[in-house]
Every structure is written in structure tokens, then in C-alpha cells.
Amino acid sequence: MSKNILICGVGGQGTVLAAKVLSQAALCNGEHVLSAETIGMAQRGGSVVSHVRIGNDVFSPLIPKGQADIIIAFEAAEAVRSFEYLKEGGMVIVNRNIVQPVTASLTGKTFSTDEMISFLEKNASKVVAVDTEKACKELGSSKVVNMVLLGAATQTGLFSKDDLKQAIKMLVKPEFYELNVKAVDYIK
């Protein structure tokens, strides 16, 4: 049985590293993994979407619309933008903290995280909204949003915190290992 995980956010939030950690965790378990990123204008705060597909019955790295078991959203508007990928009964893990797009600041039109999360709660089976700002403050680093959200996503049962920690050890510089592990463990 395949596992389809869509990770979305904006450039600079750590979505690509999150996808690599998730892929490595699956590889460490001997699972077949395909992944792909669509990065666009990521360096300028644009959309970043990573597809991670795990399983022997996976032959393409891109998740078909309506087939994602979980969406891990580093930004609420990106969760709404990618919502069509979520399958019926799927779960959304979403960052409560908003990143207003450049176009919003130029036009004076902003959007509300509460509106975005409300849409998700009305349309998804399960939504977990994570206050990553609080988590990062308590952990002492703003660079662990990705690991906090991955840790929260273990609630799906698609992968475990131990799997993530093993992958982090392989992919993250040793001096940042403990901080990233604390971030994975932040959500109980």
C-alpha cells in the first residue's frame, strides 16, 4: 500500500529538507521512495511543493490530485492552494503562522490564517494546526519549523518519530542534530 505525502510552503521555510528527511526515513526502512519538488520562485518567497511517494506500487514521483494521504503545510494559504491533492479522509498538518505573499503587501490585500484554517477544517477529515512560532521560541531557533511539522505529522501513523530521527542523523550537520530531534519531539 502506498503512502502519499504532499509538503507545501514558501521558499526558505525548509520544505525541501523536510521532504529529504521523510524520503530518507522511508529508505532506512527499506521502502521504495519517489519524490519531486516543484520550486518555481522559491527564492523570492514563492510556492514550494514537494511530493513524497512511498511504496512498491508507486511508479511516478508526482501525487495525482485527490490521492495525498496527508498535506504538511508550512503556510495556511499554501495548504488551501494544494488542497485538491488531499484524498477523502486525508489529514492536513498546517502551520498557524502566516507568511503574507509579496503581492499582498503590494496590493494592500491580505488574508487571514483563521479563514484559511476554517476552510481546511470544513473540507478535510482532520486538521492539526500547529503554532510553530511558539514552538520555535521555546526551542530557541526559528529554523526548526520543518521538523516541528514533521513531528506533528507522525500522528498519521504513516511514519514514526524514530524513523525521522534516524534520517535527521544522516542528513543534518551533527551540531544541529539535537535541536532537530527536540523539534520532532515537540508535539506529543
Side-chain angles (χ1 to χ4, degrees), residues 156-176:
T156 62
L158 295 177
F159 50 94
S160 74
K161 288 185 179 186
D162 288 339
D163 293 341
L164 294 176
K165 291 173 189 176
Q166 183 179 5
I168 290 167
K169 191 167 197 156
M170 298 174 78
L171 296 170
V172 174
K173 291 181 182 179
E175 60 266 29
F176 300 117

Side-chain angles (χ1 to χ4, degrees), residues 11-77:
Q13 289 187 298
T15 56
V16 173
L17 177 59
K20 287 180 181 179
V21 167
L22 199 49
S23 296
Q24 186 62 53
L27 287 171
C28 288
N29 279 331
E31 296 178 276
H32 176 71
V33 180
L34 293 174
S35 67
E37 285 88 27
T38 55
I39 297 181
M41 294 293 291
Q43 291 180 333
R44 298 183 187 258
S47 293
V48 178
V49 178
S50 296
H51 299 248
V52 179
R53 304 191 71 204
I54 302 166
N56 290 328
D57 58 343
V58 171
F59 303 104
S60 166
L62 298 179
I63 299 169
K65 290 180 181 171
Q67 296 298 309
D69 296 293
I70 181 173
I71 293 176
I72 304 171
F74 287 46
E75 205 282 322

Side-chain angles (χ1 to χ4, degrees), residues 9-155:
V10 297
Q13 289 187 298
T15 56
V16 173
L17 177 59
K20 287 180 181 179
V21 167
L22 199 49
S23 296
Q24 186 62 53
L27 287 171
C28 288
N29 279 331
E31 296 178 276
H32 176 71
V33 180
L34 293 174
S35 67
E37 285 88 27
T38 55
I39 297 181
M41 294 293 291
Q43 291 180 333
R44 298 183 187 258
S47 293
V48 178
V49 178
S50 296
H51 299 248
V52 179
R53 304 191 71 204
I54 302 166
N56 290 328
D57 58 343
V58 171
F59 303 104
S60 166
L62 298 179
I63 299 169
K65 290 180 181 171
Q67 296 298 309
D69 296 293
I70 181 173
I71 293 176
I72 304 171
F74 287 46
E75 205 282 322
E78 293 300 323
V80 171
R81 187 183 336 271
S82 298
F83 189 77
E84 65 189 345
Y85 285 94
L86 190 66
K87 75 178 189 181
E88 191 171 323
M91 181 178 192
V92 178
I93 305 292
V94 61
N95 183 354
R96 254 204 176 287
N97 304 315
I98 201 162
V99 177
Q100 292 289 346
V102 174
T103 55
S105 61
L106 294 174
T107 63
K109 296 178 183 176
T110 59
F111 56 85
S112 151
T113 298
D114 291 337
E115 288 175 22
M116 300 297 152
I117 292 175
S118 177
F119 169 85
L120 295 169
E121 289 173 340
K122 286 177 187 167
N123 293 287
S125 295
K126 184 168 183 188
V127 176
V128 175
V130 180
D131 184 348
T132 60
E133 188 174 310
K134 178 183 176 204
C136 289
K137 188 174 186 177
E138 290 178 14
L139 292 165
S141 174
S142 63
K143 298 188 181 223
V144 291
V145 168
N146 52 3
M147 297 306 145
V148 170
L149 291 172
L150 282 181
T154 61
Q155 294 177 32

